[in-house]
Each structure stands twice: as structure tokens, then as C-alpha cells.
Amino acid sequence: MKNIKYLFLVLFLSFSVAQAQQYRFKTTGFMVTEKTKFGVWSVWSKFQKSEMIVVLDADKDRIVVYSEALQLFNIVKYYDKKETKEGNVVSFLCVDNTGLECDISIFTRKDKNNLKQLYIYYDNRVVAYNMNLLSDKPKKNKKGAK
């Protein structure tokens, strides 16, 4: 009887551990476009080299860009994944650390050797980062821990 209780306890504890998915990227550079006073999008800026870490943490519903000024985006909504002949995209409705809403998309470009790109869309500007995937290994966290 003690063995059965012990078995149930072990099974319960093993099921209470959740697998959280966390993706880590390293940027290679970025470019920006802004809306002009006439409401037209400007030409993209020159690509500027930069190395920053970007973390998509699905367990905590957030995306963090570790730039000089930390960019924290809380994910409000997950959109459906879309696939095209050029690649696939996953998108999110987010609120940044200043309280502004934005859309964020992560593209995987099949037509460009699986290049990963992060786009941050605001009403008046868009920032695009080229990235390399560092890891996508699940981390074990206690269920409910954030």
C-alpha cells in the first residue's frame, strides 16, 4: 500500500512540472522605417550591425530585446502562424514597457536560407532585426511559476 501511495505521489509531482518554451536569438543588425508627416512610410534606413539578445518566452508571455535601453513586450494575443512560399511568420499583439500597443512578427525566410527576422510594428515606425536562433530548448519550471 505504501508503494502505491509513493507511486501516485511521484506521478503527481511529475505531472505538475510544466515544459516552458523559450527561444533565444542573437541579432546581427537592424533597420528602421518611419511615417513621414504626410503619412507615407520612409525608405528603410541603412542596415546597422548590432548584437543583442532577444528572448521569446512563451511561459511568461513576453518578448525581451536586450538592447542598451531594455525593450520588454508583454504578449496580449497570439495570432495564428501563417505560411507562405517565402517562409512562415508568427505574430503577437503586445504592449511595450511604456504602455504602447504594437504588433510583433517573427519571420523565418525559407527563400533566404531560413533567415530569422523580428519586426516591431508601431503606428508611426517599424523596427526590423535580423537574427540567428541560439536555442529553443524547453526549460522545466514548476507549474504556475512565472
Side-chain angles (χ1 to χ4, degrees):
M1 189 66 153
K2 283 185 180 182
N3 288 339
I4 292 174
K5 286 182 182 179
Y6 178 74
L7 177 64
F8 282 125
L9 179 62
V10 169
L11 287 173
F12 174 76
L13 290 174
S14 66
F15 285 123
S16 68
V17 174
Q19 292 285 331
Q21 195 68 40
Q22 186 179 88
Y23 296 89
R24 294 175 48 82
F25 303 91
K26 185 174 186 179
T27 66
T28 58
F30 71 96
M31 55 189 177
V32 178
T33 184
E34 295 180 305
K35 257 189 193 172
T36 67
K37 62 182 176 182
F38 303 109
V40 179
W41 289 101
S42 68
V43 176
W44 284 96
S45 67
K46 280 188 169 185
F47 183 77
Q48 297 179 41
K49 289 184 179 184
S50 70
E51 292 185 0
M52 296 177 272
I53 300 297
V54 175
V55 176
L56 166 58
D57 190 333
D59 186 45
K60 294 182 179 177
D61 295 321
R62 69 180 182 189
I63 299 168
V64 183
V65 179
Y66 290 93
S67 55
E68 190 174 306
L70 183 76
Q71 300 173 64
L72 173 63
F73 302 94
N74 290 306
I75 299 171
V76 175
K77 180 178 181 179
Y78 290 78
Y79 296 114
D80 292 334
K81 179 180 178 180
K82 294 182 183 176
E83 297 202 27
T84 67
K85 62 183 177 185
E86 291 85 21
N88 60 53
V89 61
V90 288
S91 298
F92 317 90
L93 173 61
C94 298
V95 174
D96 71 12
N97 47 329
T98 67
L100 291 176
E101 257 189 23
C102 60
D103 285 312
I104 294 182
S105 295
I106 298 176
F107 290 88
T108 300
R109 307 276 187 192
K110 291 180 202 171
D111 61 337
K112 295 184 179 178
N113 202 21
N114 288 325
L115 172 68
K116 307 279 189 274
Q117 293 181 306
L118 174 75
Y119 283 80
I120 304 171
Y121 301 95
Y122 287 99
D123 289 337
N124 61 349
R125 73 185 177 284
V126 179
V127 182
Y129 295 95
N130 286 355
M131 308 184 300
N132 294 315
L133 182 64
L134 295 176
S135 71
D136 62 348
K137 297 188 180 190
K139 295 190 174 204
K140 290 186 179 182
N141 290 329
K142 288 185 180 177
K143 190 173 184 176
K146 298 257 178 181

